[in-house]
């Protein structure tokens, strides 16, 4: 018999990623605006490290939230949320980079 997944931890994982990304972008935008940086608001290594660290935290929380359900449901949750999160990442960072003039297509 399956145990129920940890809904609070599941929501925490989702909120960590879906609110954390705009927060990182807001910090970068603020640095660009306030200090007049012409490139990224933060150094590239800090920019990408913060994204990776945020993703790891969200994925670990997601893993532990679905750990108690069966392996098939666990894999489906993990893969679907990861796919949605990756699309979200590409859209949000892409829009920021293009709209702020850091780069263009």
């Amino acid at each position: 018999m399956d145990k129920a997944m940890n809904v609070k931890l599941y929501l925490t994982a989702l909120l960590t990623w879906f609110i954390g990304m705009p927060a990182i972008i807001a910090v970068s935008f603020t640095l660009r605006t306030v200090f007049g940086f012409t490139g990224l608001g933060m150094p590239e290594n800090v920019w990408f490290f913060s994204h990776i660290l945020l993703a790891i935290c969200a994925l670990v929380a997601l893993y532990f939230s679905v750990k108690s359900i069966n392996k098939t449901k666990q894999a489906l949750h993990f893969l679907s949320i990861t796919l949605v999160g990756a699309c979200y990442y590409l859209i949000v960072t892409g829009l920021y980079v293009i709209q702020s003039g850091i780069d263009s297509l």
Side-chain angles (χ1 to χ4, degrees):
M1 185 167 149
D2 277 341
K3 296 179 183 177
M5 80 173 160
N6 186 338
V7 176
K8 285 183 182 178
L9 191 55
Y10 190 79
L11 291 174
T12 300
L14 295 178
L15 291 174
T16 297
W17 181 250
F18 290 101
I19 293 176
M21 278 305 304
I24 291 171
I25 289 172
V27 168
S28 178
F29 181 76
T30 302
L31 289 172
R32 285 174 49 84
T33 304
V34 171
F35 297 109
F37 293 145
T38 56
L40 288 175
M42 57 183 77
E44 277 192 47
N45 55 352
V46 175
W47 170 260
F48 289 113
F49 178 74
S50 63
H51 294 184
I52 291 168
L53 185 62
L54 184 69
I56 289 170
C57 290
L59 288 173
V60 167
L62 180 65
Y63 170 76
F64 283 108
S65 71
V66 297
K67 187 176 177 183
S68 61
I69 61 178
N70 74 40
K71 296 294 180 190
T72 304
K73 288 182 181 178
Q74 189 178 36
L76 287 174
H77 274 282
F78 205 78
L79 288 174
S80 63
I81 295 300
T82 302
L83 179 62
V84 169
C87 291
Y88 177 76
Y89 174 79
L90 292 173
I91 291 168
V92 169
T93 57
L95 286 173
Y96 169 64
V97 168
I98 291 169
Q99 292 295 323
S100 64
I102 295 170
D103 200 359
S104 63
L105 291 176

